[in-house]
Amino acid sequence: MGFIARLMGKRDETALPLYTAIVAKAREPHWYEAGVPDTVDGRFDMIATTLAFVLLRLEDDPEAAEASARLTERFVDDMDGQLREIGIGDIIVGKHIGKMMGMLGGRLGAYRTALAEGSLGAALVRNLWRGDTPEAAALAHVETALLAFRDGLAARTSELLLEGVLP
């Protein structure tokens, strides 16, 4: 759906079920009970991490490229709304969105590399705890849960994911 269609109030809702499921997954209490900071930044970081894992899974399916783009657009729309809700003005919302997109891109690269190397630890410390070393149990819990999430994503078809059925 193009820019003009969005201006006219028409939105492509195909990514909504998956995005809604991603946000729900990122807001599960166990992440924060384990030690992910329960702050605005911490919740953003958890949504971006969960979204990154889903996008990495969708990369494996060439037919899911459009769905990935729609999912990213949904993320941008949500973050735009969230920024406005917390009082960020129109003039600087775009700058914040650009920064958030850069952060999402950085996470995609960091997690892709970390998964290929076999350890998420350093990438999680940098991206979920913003460089502050968490307790070992917190890091272990989050890493184990994200690896299980990644494995569950791999076991699902793209069609099922797009319906919002996450592991």
Side-chain angles (χ1 to χ4, degrees):
M1 177 147 301
F3 175 73
I4 302 236
R6 286 183 18 199
L7 277 177
M8 302 295 287
K10 297 177 183 177
R11 296 177 65 165
D12 184 325
E13 300 293 341
T14 56
L16 185 58
L18 178 54
Y19 188 73
T20 301
I22 288 168
V23 171
K25 183 75 168 173
R27 290 190 173 166
E28 289 177 352
H30 73 94
W31 303 115
Y32 307 98
E33 291 165 355
V36 171
D38 193 4
T39 61
V40 170
D41 286 343
R43 286 178 178 257
F44 166 81
D45 293 337
M46 200 61 234
I47 290 170
T49 294
T50 307
L51 175 60
F53 272 74
V54 171
L55 289 171
L56 290 171
R57 161 54 186 83
L58 293 176
E59 281 180 355
D60 294 337
D61 182 356
E63 294 183 17
E66 186 173 334
S68 290
R70 297 287 180 250
L71 184 58
T72 304
E73 288 172 3
R74 175 57 61 185
F75 171 73
V76 169
D77 287 348
D78 183 35
M79 292 302 110
D80 182 275
Q82 296 298 324
L83 288 169
R84 292 174 191 282
E85 191 172 302
I86 62 172
I88 304 295
D90 289 342
I91 296 172
I92 59 172
V93 165
K95 271 188 178 179
H96 284 281
I97 294 294
K99 184 177 178 184
M100 289 175 166
M101 290 305 295
M103 293 169 79
L104 176 61
R107 282 166 174 78
L108 282 166
Y111 294 138
R112 185 183 295 114
T113 299
L115 288 166
E117 293 174 353
S119 175
L120 288 171
L124 292 174
V125 169
R126 188 171 55 254
N127 292 296
L128 278 180
W129 284 278
R130 300 200 177 191
D132 295 331
T133 304
E135 292 183 21
L139 183 58
H141 171 80
V142 171
E143 183 169 13
T144 299
L146 284 172
L147 289 173
F149 181 57
R150 185 242 1 228
D151 294 344
L153 289 170
R156 285 191 167 59
T157 65
S158 295
E159 292 78 23
L160 198 56
L161 293 176
L162 292 172
E163 291 173 11
V165 181
L166 294 179

